[in-house]
Amino acid sequence: QTRLAKGKAEAGAPFYRTICIVCHGSDGKQLTRPLGRVARTNPWAALHTILNGHPEDKMPALRALDRQSVIDILSHLQGLPDTN
């Protein structure tokens, strides 16, 4: 009901800095709507995209990561800014 992921944002941060930051930027505001806003308003869509990638872009599917790491990434995203 809260839409907040039950992960550890600090554990998701290294994954974000390694995998995501190149395209999405340190604040998650490059390329798309701010990731913080997306992750908080529709965490299910954000989780789907993390797991399956984006078929028409370079966004990779991260299904190779364990479930907890994916939840931690979502938690990290939810802490990013939500405005441009």
Side-chain angles (χ1 to χ4, degrees), residues 1-4 44:
Q1 289 181 336
T2 66
R3 297 183 184 190
L4 295 177
W44 305 278

Side-chain angles (χ1 to χ4, degrees), residues 12-68:
F15 289 103
Y16 185 85
R17 287 192 302 263
T18 304
I19 301 168
C20 313
I21 199 169
V22 174
C23 295
H24 291 288
S26 61
D27 58 5
K29 295 179 182 181
Q30 290 180 183
L31 294 184
T32 62
R33 294 172 288 149
L35 294 180
R37 180 184 321 147
V38 173
R40 281 190 296 283
T41 59
N42 195 344
W44 305 278
L47 184 59
H48 177 80
T49 304
I50 292 167
L51 289 171
N52 299 302
H54 199 281
E56 296 180 12
D57 288 327
K58 295 179 183 180
M59 171 84 186
L62 300 180
R63 285 199 174 262
L65 296 177
D66 63 273
R67 180 179 293 193
Q68 187 59 53

